[in-house]
Amino acid sequence: MALSPSDLPDWPHFIIQSMADGVITVDGEMRVTDLNRASEKLTGFTRQEALGRFCGEVLQSSMCGRECPLKMAMSSGEIISREAVLTNRFGNKIEVMLSASALKDDKGNLLGGVETFRDIAPLKHLENERRRLVSMFAHDLKAPVVGMAGLLSRLLRGKTGKLKKDQISLLEMIHGEMQRLENLITNFLDYSRLDLHIITPVRSAVQVEKECLEVINRLRPQAEEKDITLKLESPQDIIVLQADPILFQRALGNLTDNAIKYSPPESIVTLTVRDLGEEVQFAVQDQGPGIDTQDLPHLFELLYRGKGSGQESGLGLGLAIVKRIVDAHGGRIWVESEAGKGSTFFFTLPKKFNFE
Ligand code: ADP
């Protein structure tokens, strides 16, 4: 039968001892004052051996010294979370996610610091599996699709002899499907590479208006097919920001592409740029069907398609890619929309960004 809290003399102690995460506490001089069973297992020190030792002896990591998360947390009062590699007593390297915070009493007096850490080896293993899968997709799946699309277009151009009308129309259909598949693979790969940080922004000075116009000009033929007017509203002054121009165009292009795709014919899609000082705000507004409130919180998730996507083809990758790009630049993204009243997708990018 399970005991209730009142049956146990020191309930918090039992909670900490039974936790799956490692917990270690130090005093103001960074000497270990307590550690739980999970910490004993991870570090290789028993509680008795660890008590009174300097924290860095028990929890050795590359961050010991000036970057010590515990010291930083104790001096700033903030919670510091980091991925780190610990070396335990037996010289084994263990990848952990750690969180350090100042340990204070009820009156706010500093007693020392507390660090919790979790072995993330299983997560890292999964991440490596994903990396392997992504590179397998990149090499083994994309190459034949691109190759087949090339061969098909040679056939279509009559390189192997004149084709009959119905042969051409069949080949055109196959070619269209191949392009859809190639698009899907490219988008999936781009998403995965951004998500796994295989692609990171390559910084350069981006002249905002010029890049926006390039996106608009590239998508104009698509808009013209539906008699949609594409407008750019941007400040007179030249705005320059530090960003990856290819990723920036990709993000803006995906939003504008969606705005065109989901808009009715003869409507207006407006791209607005606002200089907010430290950052630049971009808004892509359409007069389309709008987005159901139930869909709004999920739009930026991978493979999510809203109820309003209707007959439009798509896979729910476009917005997930935009979000990863904006996140990688340290910006924010959100959407304002009401069913039947059009949608506006916003994102901001800092003008100066410290790329890691
Ligand atoms: P896809 O368009 O391929 O479905 P996205 O990730 O680009 O994938 O978009 C996810 C969903 O968000 C879409 O399925 C659609 O429901 C909704 N959506 C995106 N942009 C718009 C828009 N401008 N107007 C209405 N709905 C939109």
Side-chain angles (χ1 to χ4, degrees), residues 184-340:
L184 162 64
I185 296 171
T186 306
N187 278 324
F188 172 74
L189 282 176
D190 286 352
Y191 168 82
S192 305
R193 286 172 177 148
L194 282 161
D195 197 43
L196 290 165
H197 304 287
I198 297 170
I199 301 179
T200 49
V202 179
R203 166 187 21 194
S204 70
V206 165
Q207 203 182 311
V208 169
E209 194 177 11
K210 178 177 153 282
E211 300 290 334
C212 291
L213 280 172
E214 275 183 28
V215 170
I216 286 186
N217 288 336
R218 183 162 44 83
L219 292 171
R220 204 177 291 285
Q222 231 163 288
E224 279 169 359
E225 273 178 29
K226 290 174 80 176
D227 280 331
I228 289 174
T229 309
L230 279 182
K231 285 201 315 192
L232 172 64
E233 291 179 0
S234 70
Q236 294 272 307
D237 295 338
I238 291 174
I239 307 174
V240 177
L241 54 82
Q242 298 289 320
D244 183 315
I246 296 172
L247 292 180
F248 169 71
Q249 280 211 14
R250 183 76 189 273
L252 199 64
N254 280 8
L255 294 181
T256 314
D257 187 42
N258 273 349
I260 297 168
K261 182 163 87 172
Y262 293 106
S263 285
E266 296 173 21
S267 57
I268 301 171
V269 169
T270 314
L271 202 168
T272 311
V273 180
R274 286 181 63 206
D275 189 341
L276 302 182
E278 301 277 292
E279 54 182 14
V280 185
Q281 180 185 288
F282 301 88
V284 180
Q285 184 179 31
D286 65 50
Q287 300 172 326
I291 297 162
D292 196 290
T293 40
Q294 286 181 346
D295 287 328
L296 285 174
H298 306 288
L299 284 192
F300 300 103
E301 291 169 12
L302 181 66
L303 302 180
Y304 190 85
R305 301 209 73 211
K307 286 194 199 75
S309 50
Q311 301 294 314
E312 298 301 339
S313 66
L315 292 147
L317 279 163
L319 291 181
I321 291 176
V322 179
K323 173 142 174 53
R324 292 302 177 285
I325 294 175
V326 173
D327 286 349
H329 281 81
R332 292 171 288 124
I333 183 162
W334 70 101
V335 54
E336 288 173 10
S337 181
E338 225 181 290

Side-chain angles (χ1 to χ4, degrees), residues 37-44 86 88-89 94 96 117 119:
R37 281 195 286 273
S39 298
E40 287 183 315
K41 220 169 130 196
L42 234 105
T43 61
L86 299 181
N88 75 4
R89 190 178 200 177
I94 302 156
V96 295
F117 45 97
D119 183 352

